Amino acid sequence: MGEAQVSLEHLFRVFTKPEHKDSKLAQIEQHLSDNILDFLSQHVVTKKTSLEEVEKDFANAKVPESPEFVSTHAETLLDKLVAHSVNTYSPTFIGHMTSALPYFHLPLSKLMVGLNQNLVKIETSKAFTPLERQVLGMLHNLVYDRSEAFYEQHLHSAQHALGAFCSGGTIANITALWVARNKLLGPQPGFAGVAKAGLAAAYRFHNINHLGVMCSKRGHYSLSKAVDALGLGREQLIALPAPQQTLDPEKALRAGKRYQEEGNKLLAIVGVGGTTETGHVDPLDELADVAEQLGCWFHVDAAWGGATLFSSQYRDRLKGIERADSVTIDAHKQMYVPMGAGMALFKDPENANAVRHHAQYILRAGSKDLGATTLEGSRNGMAMMVYSALHIFGRRGYELLIDRSIQKAKAFADMIDKHPDFELTTSPTLSLLTYRVCPQALQHTLKQVDDSTRDEINEKIDTLVVSVQKQQREAGKSFVSRTRLEAPDYPAKCITVFRVVLANPLTSHNDLAAILAEQHLLATSTPLWQSLSQLAAQDPA
Amino acid sequence: MGEAQVSLEHLFRVFTKPEHKDSKLAQIEQHLSDNILDFLSQHVVTKKTSLEEVEKDFANAKVPESPEFVSTHAETLLDKLVAHSVNTYSPTFIGHMTSALPYFHLPLSKLMVGLNQNLVKIETSKAFTPLERQVLGMLHNLVYDRSEAFYEQHLHSAQHALGAFCSGGTIANITALWVARNKLLGPQPGFAGVAKAGLAAAYRFHNINHLGVMCSKRGHYSLSKAVDALGLGREQLIALPAPQQTLDPEKALRAGKRYQEEGNKLLAIVGVGGTTETGHVDPLDELADVAEQLGCWFHVDAAWGGATLFSSQYRDRLKGIERADSVTIDAHKQMYVPMGAGMALFKDPENANAVRHHAQYILRAGSKDLGATTLEGSRNGMAMMVYSALHIFGRRGYELLIDRSIQKAKAFADMIDKHPDFELTTSPTLSLLTYRVCPQALQHTLKQVDDSTRDEINEKIDTLVVSVQKQQREAGKSFVSRTRLEAPDYPAKCITVFRVVLANPLTSHNDLAAILAEQHLLATSTPLWQSLSQLAAQDPA
């Protein structure tokens, strides 16, 4: 059943002849092209199967011995894979940063695969290399707004790079800190530089005890990976508490001075332009001052929020980003490009040279091969998706999308604020917010009780929030994520909250109202709700 | 002209309505689906434009202010991007590891974008997470061939990972060495481990001067990037000379002992399973012995050659790979998957825990989120492409493809050997080979002259080879790459050679004969050819 012939003829067919128009795969493709929302709602099963059940379909670790017909395989994909995928296009999937994409990316993805360029070197990406450089230049321009002459000089220069295109924000953050590390500990008389001589030798030469990176506790977990991979050590990620969700410049300055007085060197301060958990933006301008005073690199992780710069109304929220030595932006977030399009941008186009490398068969000195300054090697042509999206939306198109997301987040925050049984934990700076469900009376109680009672009650509410979040996810109509954080009202201990990302342009106010109503129903149906309400009733106040 | 309206209606349309069937983008898509080779040969311009000319089309660093109609943009893509792209599907493009792909990846790429899953966490990749784990398991099985019980226990275990899927071989190599480093310098009484405490502290604790990685000079340049990024320093990449193109186990053992006697520690030996430049395979089994004797990690970079394991006839060429602690394989090379599918596999499924990390909103302890042990964060669903290819080809289908590529390389080597004016530099172990063009008489002369005369003549031949390679590339009919290496016949100094990768199933013997004829014509038409021939004539012998 479904076993195809093992012959050169069959293999050649797979390489040279498309599937018939009536084949299953062609049907899938047509359905996607005609109406993707319909395709997804028809094939993604709403009622969620347990992960363990799904795993049974992917349990065989043996490479199949014989070929399978494409159409047989297409059936398998529909039944086993698509059916149990997550409908990230759904307007009620508001729990993560993945959302619906514009239609044109579907045919473009085919073009990308059809061209199958490898951007590591010009010999396999002739026009894609200049295109990627232009995309990096456009984003650089959006952040740093340098002169025309500046871009004319650097955009296509073999000796410079305005940034590094990569698979995502994590690699972008690692790349930025790699460049920062190699520049800070660069070659000088008597020392070959950390790139050549290694980190331990660099510490010995500079008489450094440790090298650290500072951010707030809301900094992305990739920073911790970065200091691990780059050899600094996770303990040298100085993550300051952030009950207000942002990095306090005064505290940062004090902590930085103390760190350096202890015989350490601060490599970088990382300001966040839209934290992953609450969408808050660190005071970038003030943090740039702090970095200057401490003499360290200033990196801004704007993986999520960078696209806010397209909006005249909201771009000020990132004020100071133009002073960053490096900036991370993910096009696969608020630029609505498919997964796999991150960028690290460098203020100074010389800086990427701190990680420049060569090989004999490609990346030869003087070449314009993009691979000479990237952490990744072979890479696909995702830059085309960003290029096309920049042209098809234009700045003003993106502005509309960004403005609408932020306004929608504000409207949802109002909805939550007005609902007696919900508590808004963090208001939206960008299009993220966090909140929790809690009987109204208990909200008052919490303000009056002592610390330990408050902690006890909060733990019970945590359990309620987790339960509601899981039940809602499993019901499959909508998805809101959850996290744990220090809230402005409860700064001492972390609480569990719902986390919402309002990026999908298709999400309506009605969707949001329905999500809230579903959560309320789920919450009030639990036995825990009754006992929490009684807790409030017992309160003498 | 081409400027679209800036309105929410227009934006909504882009997200909710596909392009009309007669639109330019739909036409492009249809052409790709019907006949990709025809699409490419019609739109990719054969006569090559200079890079500087192409750059003019990508010179504007300003984000366009207003939206553009999708169809207008599609015209731009055809004229500026596709026209000057590299036709990697062409049977005469045999210079790099990028080749034609099977048809089914075109519709699958649309499905991937349409599903837009993010594999960092299950909440955005429900079925894709088990699928990716299965794919890693299948490749693990191909390399390590463990018991069914082993895979049953580890394939979907939250505490284990059989490997890390990533964007490509470079990240795979970095990931493998990152795991090796963190394991070697792991936590123990009195030391928190390198992941937490950093590399300098680890050197101090273990009283190590340097930490090194050994490979042959044919090791991939990503290894040099890896030791830089991971903090070991590029000087600690001990790249032994390899005139025979492989790492000599005895020399490796001696060099490793010497290195360790000098107060250093050897982190890893990297054996190559198909070098990028000549396709040679290091003696993996013997290198595994050496690694054992030196007490270090054994990594095999089989980014190119890993797929040889599908072939009953040739899999022995990688004998010993099953003893490696970690293995890199790229599915976007000989598994004919689109760019962006690398894997690092771990013999011991516990090892990935050396880099395990968590966050509050995802990757929670005990979850099966794939992001907990990968260097990258957000990732796309490329694993589906590998999954589908494994099923549609099956082991036996891949076997046919691999066998055919190697046989074709042998046939081409014969052709070169028989041609009087070509010199085969390295014979194919897998489907790569290198050679150069040189007047027959001069080949005899080279065997008789003294070293310095030979070097002088070789430099002139280098110039000829570079010139022929560039002219052929610019003529646009075919593409062969070039590199510089120590050849078996000229071990002391590097020579420049043509480099050929025979992976495209569509490449025929006639194509190869034509490529050789074109090179011969180009070479003999240069003034340099005459002077080289005279050099031979002057030779007293």
Side-chain angles (χ1 to χ4, degrees):
Chain A
M1 254 301 285
E3 198 169 295
Q5 205 190 347
V6 187
S7 71
L8 275 178
E9 288 67 32
H10 171 72
L11 292 178
F12 258 78
R13 204 196 160 288
V14 169
F15 275 91
T16 55
K17 297 258 182 280
E19 290 297 293
H20 192 273
K21 282 190 208 312
D22 300 332
S23 73
K24 193 72 204 173
L25 194 57
Q27 283 170 17
I28 291 175
E29 204 190 335
Q30 195 59 51
H31 199 169
L32 278 165
S33 295
D34 291 343
N35 193 334
I36 185 162
L37 291 175
D38 187 65
F39 171 86
L40 292 172
S41 65
Q42 191 169 319
H43 292 288
V44 175
V45 177
T46 314
K47 181 69 191 155
K48 294 304 173 208
T49 316
S50 76
L51 183 62
E52 287 64 33
E53 276 302 309
V54 178
E55 284 171 354
K56 286 183 189 159
D57 281 337
F58 300 99
N60 191 348
K62 201 106 192 115
V63 174
E65 184 67 8
S66 297
E68 198 171 75
F69 284 117
V70 175
S71 271
T72 316
H73 185 68
E75 295 273 8
T76 313
L77 287 183
L78 273 188
D79 294 348
K80 296 189 180 174
L81 187 68
V82 180
H84 304 298
S85 289
V86 177
N87 186 347
T88 59
Y89 276 65
S90 160
T92 53
F93 179 90
I94 55 168
H96 284 303
M97 293 176 165
T98 322
S99 91
L101 298 174
Y103 256 101
F104 60 82
H105 283 310
L106 293 177
L108 286 186
S109 68
K110 253 173 93 167
L111 183 61
M112 185 174 86
V113 167
L115 293 170
N116 203 30
Q117 307 287 290
N118 179 354
L119 277 80
V120 71
K121 54 191 178 292
I122 287 171
E123 285 177 348
T124 49
S125 68
K126 182 85 170 285
F128 272 73
T129 293
L131 174 141
E132 187 168 291
R133 282 181 177 268
Q134 184 186 16
V135 166
L136 288 167
M138 283 179 169
L139 273 296
H140 190 281
N141 201 337
L142 184 73
V143 171
Y144 295 110
D145 194 22
R146 301 291 298 268
S147 69
E148 267 185 49
F150 172 89
Y151 293 106
E152 209 167 294
Q153 187 189 340
H154 297 106
L155 196 64
H156 295 294
S157 158
Q159 283 81 45
H160 300 94
L162 295 171
F165 202 97
C166 57
S167 64
T170 293
I171 297 293
N173 281 342
I174 295 175
T175 302
L177 291 174
W178 181 31
V179 166
R181 189 200 70 181
N182 283 15
K183 227 183 120 63
L184 177 73
L185 307 175
Q188 61 182 83
F191 181 60
V194 65
K196 283 189 182 168
L199 204 54
Y203 285 24
R204 288 194 288 259
F205 180 82
H206 287 284
N207 200 21
I208 304 171
N209 190 24
H210 288 298
L211 197 61
V213 172
M214 190 188 290
C215 62
S216 91
K217 279 204 171 170
R218 293 288 86 74
H220 190 253
Y221 69 92
S222 60
L223 298 173
S224 167
K225 260 199 272 192
V227 292
D228 173 348
L230 295 172
L232 279 58
R234 285 167 193 252
E235 285 169 356
Q236 303 313 317
L237 184 69
I238 308 149
L240 300 185
Q244 302 304 321
Q245 312 306 323
T246 56
L247 184 54
D248 183 315
E250 276 179 39
K251 284 187 191 151
L253 184 61
R254 275 204 304 276
K257 278 189 179 160
R258 200 166 48 238
Y259 187 73
Q260 302 207 339
E261 282 159 14
E262 285 161 8
N264 308 308
K265 197 147 180 59
L266 195 64
L267 173 62
I269 292 181
V270 179
V272 186
T275 66
T276 321
E277 289 169 284
T278 67
H280 278 71
V281 180
D282 282 333
L284 304 179
D285 216 20
E286 289 150 275
L287 290 176
D289 291 337
V290 175
E292 249 177 49
Q293 280 179 268
L294 294 171
C296 72
W297 188 272
F298 183 41
H299 175 66
V300 171
D301 179 356
W304 172 257
T308 313
L309 295 170
F310 290 120
S311 160
S312 313
Q313 190 179 350
Y314 295 110
R315 70 167 291 144
D316 265 7
R317 301 216 164 156
L318 295 177
K319 194 169 173 297
I321 193 173
E322 72 285 354
R323 296 174 63 193
D325 295 294
S326 54
V327 169
T328 288
I329 292 185
D330 269 346
H332 59 231
K333 296 198 166 95
Q334 291 197 94
M335 286 177 71
Y336 301 96
V337 161
M339 196 55 58
M343 281 166 276
L345 305 166
F346 300 110
K347 181 161 68 180
D348 181 345
E350 296 279 357
N351 281 343
N353 292 327
V355 298
R356 187 173 288 276
H357 46 268
H358 299 290
Q360 286 291 358
Y361 69 109
I362 52 166
L363 317 181
R364 289 179 276 258
S367 88
K368 295 182 177 181
D369 292 341
L370 290 162
T373 55
T374 56
L375 186 64
E376 290 170 287
S378 294
R379 286 186 302 108
N380 68 13
M382 280 302 300
M384 178 184 73
M385 306 292 211
V386 187
Y387 175 83
S388 293
L390 281 166
H391 283 88
I392 292 171
F393 287 123
R395 187 198 64 77
R396 293 169 64 201
Y398 273 128
E399 179 173 49
L400 266 182
L401 290 169
I402 295 287
D403 288 359
R404 212 176 112 84
S405 293
I406 296 180
Q407 283 149 16
K408 212 186 291 174
K410 283 183 188 169
F412 192 40
D414 277 348
M415 242 184 253
I416 292 162
D417 242 354
K418 283 187 187 132
H419 196 298
D421 291 335
F422 284 97
E423 222 181 14
L424 188 67
T425 312
T426 60
S427 305
T429 301
L430 303 178
S431 50
L432 275 80
L433 54 91
T434 59
Y435 63 104
R436 62 177 189 171
V437 65
C438 174
Q440 182 177 25
L442 195 59
Q443 295 174 33
H444 296 294
T445 309
L446 275 168
K447 293 202 175 80
Q448 292 151 2
V449 293
D450 61 45
D451 286 0
S452 81
T453 312
R454 186 184 301 119
D455 289 349
E456 262 176 54
I457 299 177
N458 272 337
E459 276 175 34
K460 292 200 173 82
I461 304 174
D462 289 350
T463 310
L464 176 70
V465 170
V466 170
S467 154
V468 169
Q469 191 265 348
K470 283 188 176 173
Q471 285 184 67
Q472 189 172 35
R473 185 182 66 197
E474 277 153 28
K477 270 188 299 195
S478 44
F479 173 71
V480 166
S481 62
R482 67 173 204 270
T483 192
R484 283 178 65 74
L485 46 81
E486 302 148 316
D489 290 344
Y490 312 105
K493 273 198 156 180
C494 283
I495 59 166
T496 300
V497 292
F498 299 122
R499 167 176 169 267
V500 154
V501 185
L502 287 165
N504 192 333
L506 311 178
T507 304
S508 70
H509 287 245
N510 284 349
D511 291 327
L512 297 174
I515 287 169
L516 218 52
E518 188 187 13
Q519 290 182 325
H520 193 252
L521 185 65
L522 288 170
T524 52
S525 310
T526 56
L528 193 52
W529 185 266
Q530 309 313 323
S531 68
L532 281 170
S533 303
Q534 278 158 16
L535 267 184
Q538 284 164 10
D539 173 40
Chain B
M1 256 298 287
E3 197 169 296
Q5 207 190 347
V6 187
S7 71
L8 276 178
E9 288 69 32
H10 172 72
L11 291 179
F12 258 78
R13 205 197 159 285
V14 170
F15 276 90
T16 55
K17 297 257 181 282
E19 290 297 294
H20 191 272
K21 284 190 205 312
D22 300 331
S23 73
K24 193 72 204 174
L25 194 57
Q27 283 170 20
I28 291 175
E29 207 191 333
Q30 195 59 50
H31 199 169
L32 279 166
S33 296
D34 291 344
N35 193 333
I36 185 161
L37 291 174
D38 186 65
F39 172 86
L40 292 172
S41 66
Q42 192 168 320
H43 291 289
V44 175
V45 176
T46 314
K47 180 70 191 154
K48 294 303 174 210
T49 316
S50 75
L51 183 62
E52 288 64 34
E53 275 303 308
V54 178
E55 284 172 353
K56 286 183 189 159
D57 281 337
F58 301 98
N60 191 349
K62 201 105 193 115
V63 174
E65 185 66 9
S66 298
E68 201 171 74
F69 283 116
V70 174
S71 270
T72 315
H73 186 67
E75 295 273 8
T76 313
L77 287 182
L78 274 188
D79 295 348
K80 296 187 178 174
L81 187 68
V82 180
H84 304 298
S85 288
V86 177
N87 187 347
T88 58
Y89 276 64
S90 160
T92 53
F93 179 91
I94 55 168
H96 284 303
M97 294 175 164
T98 322
S99 91
L101 298 174
Y103 256 101
F104 60 82
H105 284 308
L106 293 177
L108 287 186
S109 68
K110 255 173 92 168
L111 183 60
M112 185 174 86
V113 167
L115 293 171
N116 202 32
Q117 308 288 290
N118 179 355
L119 277 80
V120 72
K121 54 189 177 294
I122 288 170
E123 285 178 347
T124 50
S125 69
K126 182 85 170 286
F128 272 72
T129 294
L131 173 141
E132 188 168 292
R133 282 181 179 269
Q134 185 186 15
V135 166
L136 289 167
M138 283 179 169
L139 273 297
H140 190 281
N141 202 338
L142 184 73
V143 172
Y144 295 110
D145 194 21
R146 301 292 298 268
S147 70
E148 265 184 53
F150 173 89
Y151 292 107
E152 209 167 294
Q153 186 188 341
H154 296 107
L155 196 65
H156 295 294
S157 157
Q159 282 82 45
H160 300 93
L162 296 171
F165 201 98
C166 57
S167 64
T170 294
I171 298 293
N173 281 341
I174 295 175
T175 302
L177 292 174
W178 180 32
V179 166
R181 189 200 70 180
N182 283 15
K183 226 182 121 62
L184 178 72
L185 307 174
Q188 62 182 85
F191 181 59
V194 66
K196 283 189 183 169
L199 204 54
Y203 286 24
R204 287 193 289 260
F205 180 82
H206 288 283
N207 199 21
I208 305 170
N209 190 23
H210 288 297
L211 197 62
V213 172
M214 191 188 290
C215 61
S216 91
K217 279 205 171 169
R218 292 288 87 75
H220 191 252
Y221 70 92
S222 60
L223 298 173
S224 167
K225 261 200 270 191
V227 291
D228 173 348
L230 295 173
L232 279 58
R234 286 168 192 252
E235 284 168 357
Q236 303 313 316
L237 183 70
I238 308 148
L240 300 186
Q244 301 305 322
Q245 313 306 322
T246 55
L247 184 54
D248 183 315
E250 277 179 38
K251 284 187 192 152
L253 183 62
R254 275 204 302 278
K257 280 188 178 160
R258 200 166 49 238
Y259 187 73
Q260 301 205 340
E261 281 159 15
E262 286 162 7
N264 308 307
K265 197 147 181 59
L266 195 64
L267 173 62
I269 291 181
V270 180
V272 186
T275 67
T276 322
E277 289 168 286
T278 67
H280 278 72
V281 180
D282 283 333
L284 303 179
D285 216 19
E286 288 150 276
L287 290 176
D289 290 337
V290 174
E292 251 176 46
Q293 280 179 268
L294 294 171
C296 71
W297 189 271
F298 182 41
H299 175 67
V300 172
D301 179 356
W304 173 257
T308 312
L309 295 170
F310 291 120
S311 161
S312 313
Q313 188 177 353
Y314 295 111
R315 69 166 292 144
D316 265 6
R317 302 218 163 157
L318 296 177
K319 193 169 173 300
I321 193 172
E322 72 285 355
R323 296 175 64 193
D325 295 293
S326 53
V327 170
T328 289
I329 292 185
D330 270 345
H332 59 231
K333 296 197 165 95
Q334 290 197 96
M335 286 177 71
Y336 302 96
V337 160
M339 196 55 58
M343 281 166 277
L345 305 166
F346 300 110
K347 182 162 66 181
D348 180 346
E350 297 278 358
N351 280 343
N353 292 326
V355 299
R356 187 174 287 276
H357 45 268
H358 298 289
Q360 286 293 357
Y361 69 109
I362 51 167
L363 317 181
R364 289 179 277 257
S367 88
K368 295 182 177 183
D369 292 341
L370 291 162
T373 54
T374 58
L375 186 64
E376 290 172 288
S378 294
R379 286 185 303 106
N380 68 14
M382 281 302 301
M384 177 183 74
M385 307 292 212
V386 187
Y387 176 84
S388 294
L390 281 165
H391 283 87
I392 293 171
F393 287 123
R395 186 199 65 77
R396 293 170 63 201
Y398 274 129
E399 178 173 50
L400 266 184
L401 290 169
I402 295 286
D403 288 358
R404 213 176 111 84
S405 292
I406 295 179
Q407 284 150 15
K408 211 186 291 174
K410 283 183 188 166
F412 192 40
D414 278 349
M415 242 184 253
I416 292 162
D417 243 355
K418 284 185 188 137
H419 196 298
D421 291 335
F422 284 96
E423 221 180 15
L424 188 67
T425 313
T426 59
S427 304
T429 301
L430 303 180
S431 50
L432 275 79
L433 54 91
T434 60
Y435 63 104
R436 62 178 189 170
V437 64
C438 173
Q440 182 177 25
L442 195 57
Q443 294 174 33
H444 296 296
T445 308
L446 275 169
K447 294 201 173 82
Q448 294 151 1
V449 293
D450 60 45
D451 287 0
S452 81
T453 312
R454 187 184 301 118
D455 290 347
E456 261 175 57
I457 298 176
N458 272 337
E459 276 173 35
K460 291 201 174 84
I461 304 174
D462 289 350
T463 310
L464 176 69
V465 170
V466 171
S467 155
V468 169
Q469 191 265 348
K470 283 188 178 173
Q471 284 183 68
Q472 189 172 34
R473 184 182 68 198
E474 277 152 29
K477 270 188 300 195
S478 44
F479 173 71
V480 166
S481 62
R482 68 173 204 270
T483 191
R484 282 179 67 73
L485 46 81
E486 302 148 315
D489 290 344
Y490 312 106
K493 273 197 156 180
C494 285
I495 60 165
T496 300
V497 292
F498 299 121
R499 166 176 169 267
V500 155
V501 184
L502 288 165
N504 192 332
L506 311 179
T507 304
S508 69
H509 287 243
N510 284 349
D511 291 327
L512 297 173
I515 286 168
L516 218 52
E518 188 188 14
Q519 290 182 325
H520 193 251
L521 184 65
L522 288 170
T524 52
S525 310
T526 56
L528 193 53
W529 185 265
Q530 308 313 324
S531 68
L532 281 170
S533 304
Q534 277 159 18
L535 266 184
Q538 283 164 12
D539 174 41

